[in-house]
Amino acid sequence: MRLERPDVAHPDCCLEKRQRHGPAAPLGLLGFIIWAPLQACRRPFSYHRETASSPENETHRGFELVGRASFGFATANLCLLPDSLARFNNLGHTQRRATVIGQHIVQGVCRPNIRIFVDSPSSCGTLSPSYSILPSVNSSSYGATDKHAQTVVSHHSDSAEVNFSIPKSNSDVVCLPCDDTEEPSAESPSPVLNANHISNQQGGAGHRSAPRALLSQGLRQQDDVPWEVSSLFPANVDILCLEEVFDKRAAQKLTQALRPVYGHILYDVGVYACQPPCRCSSFKFFNSGLLLASRFPVLDAQYQCFPNSRGEDALAAKGLLSVKVLIGQNQKQKKVVGYFNCTHLHAPEGDGEIRCEQLNLVTTWIGDFQAATKLPDEDVAFDVLCGDFNFDNCSPDDTLEQNHHLFEEYRDPCRAGPGKEKPWVIGTLLEQPTLYEDDINTPEKLQRTLESEDLRKRYVSPPVPVDDHPLVYPETGQPWIGRRIDYILYRENSISKHCRTEIEEVTFITQLAGLTDHIPVGLRLNVIMDSLE
C-alpha cells in the first residue's frame, strides 16, 4: 500500500498559491509608503459628539442654584490591544471585551444609588447600598443624565444581546435617624446635585463625617476619606478616562456603548509613524491608548506625546491628554469650567528616571494648557489628573517617582507620604496568571477577595524590590496592600479662590473582573463655591 504524506503539498499547488498571494506584499508596502507621511497631517484624536436636545441638558446647575456641586471621576486600564498582543497579558477576545466593558460601565454609572439608614442600634446599616432599583423620589436637575432618562440602551455583543434601561434618577438617599448620626434638620437640606452620598458634605455647623450606617456596610471612612470596594461603577461618573484602548475597532465599540450616557468622547488619541523633531522619539505603531468620555461639553483639548520612551513602550504614542470642559454657571451667571488630564506613563520596571522625566513634562504641559485656555471671566471648579502611572507608592524600586514634586501640587487621597500608603488602600494591579481563578472571576468574588488581606496577597501584584536588596514588606503592624499604579489626583491651588473641595468618596471597582488585569478607581469630589460677595 502506498501512503501519501499529508504534510507535503503538490508543487503545482504551491505555485498557484504563490501566484495568487504574490501581489499582496507589494501592495501592502505601497500602502504603507502612502500612509506613513500622511500621519504628520492627522489630528491627534477623534471626537464623537452626541447632539443634545438643548444646551441646558449638558450643564450642571449646582453652582447656579445652591452654590455647590458633586463631580464623579473614574479611570481604568482595559488592555484592549490586538488579540495577539492582549494574550501576553492573559486577556483575549478584544472586540468582545470592549463591548461588554462598555455595557458594564453604562450599567454601573446609570443606576440609582439609594442608601437607607434605619433607626435600630442592632441593625443600623445601609440597605441595598449599590444594587437598589427602587423608583426615584425626586428627579435631579442634572440634565446630562436626565437627557437619557427614558432611553433604552441596546447593544449587541459578540456573544449575546444585552438590554437595559437607564434609570431616571441620579441618586436618592433615605435617612432615618440612627443612634450615632446627626439629627436631620427641620428644614429641607440644600441639594447637592448629582451626588452619590451625603456622607461627606459640608453642613451648616461644620464637617459631616460618614455615619456608622455607612461604615457598617460598604462605605467606610479613615483619615477623613470615605472609601469602599464596589462591585459596580459609581453612580453618575461625569468624566471617564480609559487607558490601553489601542485597538481602533475596540475604541469604536466602546464609543458606541458609552455615547447614550457620555455625549462627548475623545478616542484614537495619539500620533502614528514618524513625527516632527521633539514630538516623539521613534516610529509609532500604536496610538496613546487613551479614551476620554465626558458628560460635559469639551471647550478645548490638547494632546502631547512623550519624547523619551524606549524599548517596546516606544512603539506606542503615550502622552498626556488635557481637556477643558464647560460645567455651567454660578449664581452670578459667570461661566464655571473644569480641567481634566489623563496619561499613561512608561511601563518597564527599573526605568524610574524615564517616568520622572515624563512627570516633569506632565506638570509643564498642564500648566501651559491652562495658561493658554483659562479666561478671566471663568471660575475653575476642579483640576484632576488621572491614569496609569506604572509605579506604586510601596515598591523600593519606585522611590524616585514616589518623591516627585508632582505630589506637592496634586493631592493623592490614598497616599500618606512618599513610599507609604494609607492603611485602607488596595492595590490595583492583578497577577495576570490568576485572572480567571474562582476567587476573582466575578465582580462579587473579586470584591470579597480585595477586602481580605490574606486573599489580596495571592491575587494583587506585590511590590518590586531593588536589585540585590531583600524586600521587607509590609512594615510591622501595617496591612498588605500591593501595587497601586492607577491614580486619580486633584489640585486645589489652581481652582478659583472662592471654591473649596472635599473628598466625598474613593472607590475601588471590581465590575470588570475577568475583563482586565487592573482594578478601576473612582473619585467623587464635593465642590462648594463661596458667595462672591
Side-chain angles (χ1 to χ4, degrees), residues 142-161:
Y142 186 10
T145 301
D146 287 341
K147 163 188 171 186
H148 306 290
Q150 304 300 329
T151 304
V152 176
V153 180
S154 177
H155 301 300
H156 182 70
S157 70
D158 293 353
S159 57
E161 185 170 343

Side-chain angles (χ1 to χ4, degrees), residues 378-455:
E378 295 175 337
D379 279 330
V380 179
F382 58 77
D383 179 0
V384 173
L385 168 63
C386 73
D388 180 355
F389 287 10
N390 272 315
F391 67 85
D392 59 61
N393 196 36
C394 63
S395 293
D397 191 57
D398 293 335
T399 301
L400 279 177
E401 302 96 302
Q402 294 162 6
N403 288 274
H404 195 272
H405 63 82
L406 175 133
F407 295 102
E408 298 173 5
E409 297 186 31
Y410 281 89
R411 181 182 176 188
D412 181 358
C414 301
R415 171 184 166 108
K420 185 175 182 181
E421 300 278 54
K422 293 183 177 179
W424 49 267
V425 172
I426 292 173
T428 63
L429 182 62
L430 297 174
E431 291 282 72
Q432 293 166 351
T434 67
L435 292 179
Y436 308 108
E437 292 193 10
D438 189 59
D439 285 332
I440 62 171
N441 60 6
T442 69
E444 293 76 16
K445 291 178 180 178
L446 180 56
Q447 179 186 23
R448 290 193 294 269
T449 294
L450 294 182
E451 291 175 336
S452 167
E453 183 176 344
D454 290 336
L455 289 176

Side-chain angles (χ1 to χ4, degrees), residues 235-375:
N236 306 315
V237 171
D238 296 294
I239 304 180
L240 178 68
C241 173
L242 304 175
E243 300 90 47
E244 291 199 8
V245 188
F246 291 114
D247 188 275
K248 287 187 178 182
R249 287 195 299 148
Q252 292 170 350
K253 289 179 182 294
L254 268 177
T255 300
Q256 291 297 316
L258 297 175
R259 71 179 190 176
V261 180
Y262 297 99
H264 305 269
I265 301 176
L266 300 179
Y267 66 98
D268 193 14
V269 178
V271 294
Y272 296 91
C274 293
Q275 297 297 315
C278 302
R279 288 276 304 275
C280 291
S281 57
S282 62
F283 193 95
K284 303 299 179 185
F285 289 93
F286 297 100
N287 58 31
S288 69
L290 298 174
L291 185 148
L292 184 144
S294 171
R295 284 175 166 164
F296 302 119
V298 176
L299 298 177
D300 289 285
Q302 175 182 278
Y303 160 79
Q304 297 276 9
C305 180
F306 292 134
N308 63 335
S309 299
R310 71 182 182 192
E312 67 275 13
D313 241 39
L315 301 178
K318 290 185 176 181
L320 174 75
L321 176 65
S322 299
V323 299
K324 174 185 175 183
V325 297
L326 174 64
I327 296 169
Q329 295 180 326
N330 60 20
Q331 293 172 318
K332 298 294 184 180
Q333 303 304 303
K334 190 177 181 180
K335 265 186 185 179
V336 180
V337 300
Y339 285 101
F340 188 83
N341 311 277
C342 49
T343 189
H344 188 186
L345 300 184
H346 186 72
E349 296 174 1
D351 285 343
E353 292 183 358
I354 292 179
R355 281 186 287 272
C356 282
E357 292 174 9
Q358 293 178 346
L359 289 175
N360 291 339
L361 292 171
V362 164
T363 55
T364 300
W365 288 339
I366 290 176
D368 293 344
F369 177 71
Q370 295 184 5
T373 59
K374 185 178 179 182
L375 301 178

Side-chain angles (χ1 to χ4, degrees), residues 96-118:
R96 186 181 304 174
R97 282 194 298 119
T99 300
V100 176
I101 287 171
Q103 293 169 353
H104 283 7
I105 293 174
V106 170
Q107 186 181 30
V109 302
C110 290
R111 78 187 193 279
N113 198 22
I114 301 177
R115 295 185 184 273
I116 303 175
F117 308 137
V118 294

